[in-house]
Amino acid sequence: MAQGDAVEFAHSGGLAATKRLTRDEQKLLGQFMTPPAVAKFMARNAIPRTFGPIVRILDPGAGSGVLAAAVVAELLSRPAPPEQIAVTLFESDERLVPMLRRLAARLRHLARIRGVALSVAVRHEDFLLSREALSRKSVADVIIANPPYFKISARDPRAVAHAFAVYGQPNIYGLFMAVCADLLAPGGCWCFITPRSWTNGLYFRAVRRHIFRALSINAMHLFESRRNHFTDDKILQEAMITWGTAHAAHSNHILVSSSAGTRDLDTVKLHRLPASQVIDTGETHAVSLPTADSANPLSEWNATLATYGLRVSTGPVVAFRASRYLREASSDQTVPLLWMQHIKHMCVEWPIGKKRECILANANTAWMLVPNINLVVMRRFSPKEDRRRVTAAPYLSGQLHGPVIGLENHTNYIFRPGGSLTTEEAKGVAALLNSAVVDRYLRNIAGSTQVNATDLRRLPLPSMETIQAIGRRIPSRPSLQEVDAIVQAELFGSVDVAEVA
Ligand SMILES: C[S@@+](CC[C@H](N)C(=O)[O-])C[C@H]1O[C@@H](n2cnc3c(N)ncnc32)[C@H](O)[C@@H]1O
């Protein structure tokens, strides 16, 4: 049995349980289950750097146990797992208890295979009123949670019991965060997935003050997507994960990352920001995070290629079908055929001594050839190691000989049907496509090294005036640094978004 199975097993049990609930019941019980990819991501970074022979794991609102399962799987996958793992699972809904017991049996089995003794205590009770929560003594080395979220009255016994973390009307998740910050052994890991609302405002100030006193915050991850087609429960919308270490010297830096969802977790960029830039050390203890809007200017652009009457197509020459028309050398019957190798960042180089870089231009091939007018040409694939997702170049009319040119099928090109791009437009669009700003955006939405025509059609663009202004400033054969500097300057003045993000 693979170790990941326990996570999937827990998750499917959880989904089966919540499917029986109406959306309102689900909200009332705070039952939104963590997708396995997120549980594993949380767990990977929630294991203490060093641990003793026993590791104690606590999940205070276990649901079907997916988070604890992910931590156990992670520990068992380490070259030197602990000798013993003790898991404590709190869950107030008795319908989930049998599921947790089944999961416990599976985890014990997996641990035994690895030679690790594992015990699971399933506690069917309200965590916030448990003796552990009330005593606030150290009981765990790892606390991992996706706590319930709903408001409770300030007179609720749970709010009264933890009044230190209450200001105004509390949300139950803030109480879970604050109480758990006290239950860790020194060096223990605290990992919570929550909404972002706790990071600001008066109502959560007591929670923040408490957490930041008890923990050193190591990392935060934001889910930025507003479209949640990839989640089971839509919980990722505007959600965030926070990792902290108990009783540790406060770190000077915090790793901040963001992703659209779970699919792009492997490609997200990490930003190591000074802790003082992220957490206000003054009275508010507010957290400032680069939001989707500030980190990603594209989210504010409403135009696309279609807005400007531009279209994107794939190069029509399919080499193996057109092979009898392809030629090694140019003659007065041929025109240049651009393969993706001819396209570099911001310039087209032809010929390059590549095989079959010419194509016959005659009545038979006319349909697959493109007028020799201003275009933006780009590679359909970029090597993994390439610095940018898109390799695009302006192609200017007459740059190569002939009334038409050939574009091989591994290229895409942008054109204006029934007209032509101006030089400024071609240079401006190409520069944007090669820029670091667009690169960051595409890396988030396109998981693979391929940027397809659909991605390009959906790509948000700034105003045409901005595109033209960029195009006017682009010299011939600019470096990527020059492109970035010009794009940055036209979009943001001279601010470097890499610093902001
Ligand atoms: C948001 S769900 C998350 C479940 C699971 N940890 C996961 O990540 O999929 C929160 C869980 O906490 C449980 N819960 C709600 N209030 C609780 C309380 N006061 N004490 C213990 N569990 C609670 C809910 O029934 C629900 O199963």
Side-chain angles (χ1 to χ4, degrees):
M1 203 185 314
Q3 283 169 12
D5 282 358
V7 179
E8 300 287 345
F9 173 76
H11 181 64
S12 50
L15 281 190
T18 50
K19 278 214 174 91
R20 281 181 233 125
L21 303 173
T22 63
R23 195 76 185 164
D24 284 344
E25 285 171 323
Q26 214 180 339
K27 273 192 190 158
L28 204 67
L29 295 164
Q31 285 184 2
F32 294 93
M33 305 308 180
T34 311
V38 178
K40 290 175 192 173
F41 176 58
M42 291 169 70
R44 264 200 302 278
N45 299 303
I47 306 290
R49 276 186 197 284
T50 55
F51 46 80
I54 306 179
V55 173
R56 297 162 301 166
I57 302 166
L58 169 69
D59 183 339
S64 57
V66 69
L67 295 178
V71 177
V72 169
E74 184 61 35
L75 278 169
L76 295 180
S77 74
R78 298 280 164 117
E83 289 167 21
Q84 271 186 52
I85 300 176
V87 182
T88 305
L89 303 174
F90 282 91
E91 175 50 58
S92 57
D93 184 348
E94 69 174 337
R95 286 170 301 181
L96 290 163
V97 170
M99 171 64 220
L100 288 174
R101 298 230 160 92
R102 284 198 294 279
L103 176 69
R106 189 169 278 227
L107 292 177
R108 275 195 296 272
H109 172 75
L110 290 170
R112 207 176 308 123
I113 297 172
R114 226 24 205 108
V116 174
L118 184 140
S119 63
V120 181
V122 177
R123 303 270 296 272
H124 170 221
E125 56 186 279
D126 189 319
F127 165 71
L128 290 173
L129 297 175
S130 68
R131 66 182 139 73
E132 286 85 349
L134 296 176
S135 74
R136 298 199 2 236
K137 292 209 181 98
S138 136
V139 292
D141 304 294
V142 177
I143 299 182
I144 189 160
N146 173 1
Y149 334 112
F150 46 78
K151 292 193 173 121
I152 56 174
S153 141
R155 290 191 300 279
D156 185 297
R158 297 168 289 194
V160 174
H162 306 293
F164 71 93
V166 173
Y167 181 92
Q169 189 183 21
N171 191 310
I172 194 164
Y173 87 84
L175 299 184
F176 272 71
M177 293 173 93
V179 170
C180 285
D182 286 339
L183 303 190
L184 283 164
C189 286
W190 177 101
C191 173
F192 268 71
I193 182 166
T194 59
R196 288 194 204 171
S197 46
W198 70 276
T199 56
N200 276 289
L202 216 49
Y203 282 4
F204 282 95
R205 192 172 67 179
V207 170
R208 290 193 296 273
R209 188 176 50 215
H210 190 78
I211 291 172
F212 297 148
R213 251 187 224 153
L215 304 169
S216 163
I217 300 299
N218 312 116
M220 292 175 164
H221 181 85
L222 315 177
F223 290 101
E224 312 230 82
S225 179
R226 283 141 201 240
R227 281 166 274 141
N228 286 284
H229 42 272
F230 40 74
T231 68
D232 302 305
D233 271 322
K234 302 194 189 322
I235 62 152
L236 292 189
Q237 181 147 350
E238 304 277 301
M240 68 183 288
I241 303 171
T242 311
W243 290 268
T245 307
H247 307 289
H250 279 264
S251 52
N252 293 331
H253 288 88
I254 297 178
L255 288 176
V256 178
S257 55
S258 60
S259 66
T262 53
R263 283 202 246 153
D264 55 336
L265 281 176
D266 285 339
T267 56
V268 295
K269 259 201 176 160
L270 281 184
H271 300 278
R272 191 166 169 269
L273 300 180
S276 57
Q277 194 179 315
V278 179
I279 298 171
D280 172 35
T281 47
E283 274 298 284
T284 70
H285 305 282
V287 179
S288 317
L289 293 163
T291 61
D293 294 339
S294 67
N296 174 11
L298 277 75
S299 59
E300 291 185 351
W301 299 343
N302 300 320
T304 60
L305 289 171
T307 317
Y308 303 131
L310 299 176
R311 208 184 283 168
V312 56
S313 281
T314 297
V317 179
V318 179
F320 75 88
R321 286 204 200 111
S323 59
R324 65 196 160 119
Y325 303 118
L326 308 191
R327 296 289 179 271
E328 301 287 340
S330 75
S331 71
D332 55 4
Q333 285 165 32
T334 68
V335 294
L337 170 62
L338 293 185
W339 294 68
M340 68 174 186
Q341 291 86 340
H342 293 109
I343 301 170
K344 311 273 154 60
H345 291 292
M346 292 307 287
C347 74
V348 171
E349 275 178 20
W350 187 98
I352 54 170
K354 188 193 169 338
K355 279 189 184 162
R356 304 187 301 169
E357 44 190 358
C358 304
I359 183 166
L360 289 178
N362 58 34
N364 269 334
T365 58
W367 68 269
M368 62 173 104
L369 300 174
V370 171
N372 191 344
I373 54 174
N374 290 351
L375 307 166
V376 175
V377 291
M378 74 212 81
R379 297 178 176 216
R380 276 179 62 198
F381 302 92
S382 51
K384 254 208 182 90
E385 61 283 4
D386 203 312
R387 289 161 64 200
R388 296 286 152 89
R389 208 32 84 87
V390 177
T391 304
Y395 173 82
L396 299 182
S397 151
Q399 190 176 335
L400 300 175
H401 67 271
V404 288
I405 56 169
L407 286 167
E408 199 274 333
N409 194 243
H410 290 85
T411 65
N412 280 323
Y413 65 108
I414 294 171
F415 62 106
R416 175 166 281 128
S420 175
L421 281 90
T422 65
T423 302
E424 289 161 355
E425 288 171 341
K427 286 179 155 187
V429 170
L432 262 174
L433 291 175
N434 283 304
S435 71
V437 179
V438 168
D439 185 62
R440 268 197 287 276
Y441 176 83
L442 288 173
R443 275 175 202 276
N444 276 346
I445 58 154
S448 72
T449 50
Q450 187 179 352
V451 173
N452 59 37
T454 312
D455 295 330
L456 293 167
R457 279 183 205 112
R458 288 194 192 141
L459 182 73
L461 293 174
S463 71
M464 187 40 103
E465 290 72 40
T466 307
I467 294 175
Q468 289 165 334
I470 293 171
R472 270 193 294 278
R473 291 182 58 183
I474 291 289
S476 71
R477 303 179 75 95
S479 66
L480 279 179
Q481 285 87 335
E482 286 173 300
V483 167
D484 284 344
I486 293 167
V487 170
Q488 300 280 354
E490 288 303 327
L491 294 179
F492 316 106
S494 57
V495 179
D496 179 356
V497 281
E499 296 300 319
V500 180

